[in-house]
């Protein structure tokens, strides 16, 4: 089992930047693909981006390409979501998810909710106009 805890959310103005963290416990983060998702009131949970088990090249939804960046610090068991040029439509609860991945599948991309085994509790990001 793995436990995930998101942190770093808050209230910011449009155009601001914010960095979210996803902390792992129970298992090492480098054994998992990690995805970031978000959910706004009344909407489905939406894919934001993911970083595979191996390597550092992440995959992003079109809505955040060029603005958001995912990175991992394996030594600290942390995965980050750096958000720049925030817009009011980015307002949502942001979740990190983890999927156990074998080394042979280390470069595979997972972008569906159902492909992740574990989830954090979420952290609120609110962007004012």
């Amino acid at each position: 089992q793995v436990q995930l805890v998101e942190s770093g959310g808050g209230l910011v103005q449009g155009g601001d930047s914010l960095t979210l963290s996803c902390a792992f416990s129970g298992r090492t983060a480098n054994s998992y693909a990690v995805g970031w998702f978000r959910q706004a009131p009344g909407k489905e949970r939406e894919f934001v981006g993911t970083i595979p088990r191996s390597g550092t090249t992440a995959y992003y939804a079109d809505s955040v390409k060029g603005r958001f960046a995912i990175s991992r610090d394996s030594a600290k068991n942390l995965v980050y979501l750096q958000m720049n040029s925030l817009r009011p439509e980015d307002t949502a609860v942001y979740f990190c998810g983890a999927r156990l991945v074998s080394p042979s599948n280390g470069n595979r991309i997972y972008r569906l909710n159902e492909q992740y085994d574990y989830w954090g509790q979420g952290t609120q990001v609110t962007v004012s106009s």
Side-chain angles (χ1 to χ4, degrees):
Q1 300 291 324
V2 63
Q3 294 80 45
L4 309 175
V5 178
E6 304 95 335
S7 62
L11 174 63
V12 298
Q13 294 182 335
D16 284 355
S17 297
L18 198 64
T19 299
L20 307 182
S21 299
C22 177
F24 279 63
S25 64
R27 301 288 295 273
T28 57
N30 59 11
S31 296
Y32 296 84
V34 177
W36 284 96
F37 293 75
R38 64 188 183 186
Q39 188 166 21
K43 295 185 178 181
E44 298 287 321
R45 186 169 295 187
E46 175 190 18
F47 172 76
V48 174
T50 183
I51 190 165
R53 181 196 193 278
S54 303
T56 58
T57 301
Y59 177 87
Y60 303 95
D62 289 343
S63 59
V64 305
K65 284 181 180 177
R67 297 191 298 122
F68 291 10
I70 299 171
S71 61
R72 70 197 314 156
D73 186 338
S74 296
K76 297 181 179 179
N77 265 6
L78 291 173
V79 176
Y80 302 101
L81 178 65
Q82 174 66 50
M83 304 183 293
N84 301 310
S85 301
L86 283 163
R87 308 163 180 168
E89 53 263 40
D90 294 318
T91 295
V93 177
Y94 283 71
F95 300 88
C96 62
R99 177 189 172 95
L100 182 64
V101 177
S102 65
S104 62
N105 292 325
N107 294 318
R108 294 187 68 179
I109 298 297
Y110 305 94
R111 61 185 186 91
L112 302 177
N113 290 277
E114 64 195 35
Q115 293 177 307
Y116 290 85
D117 303 305
Y118 306 100
W119 295 94
Q121 84 293 335
T123 185
Q124 177 71 47
V125 174
T126 302
V127 185
S128 63
S129 59

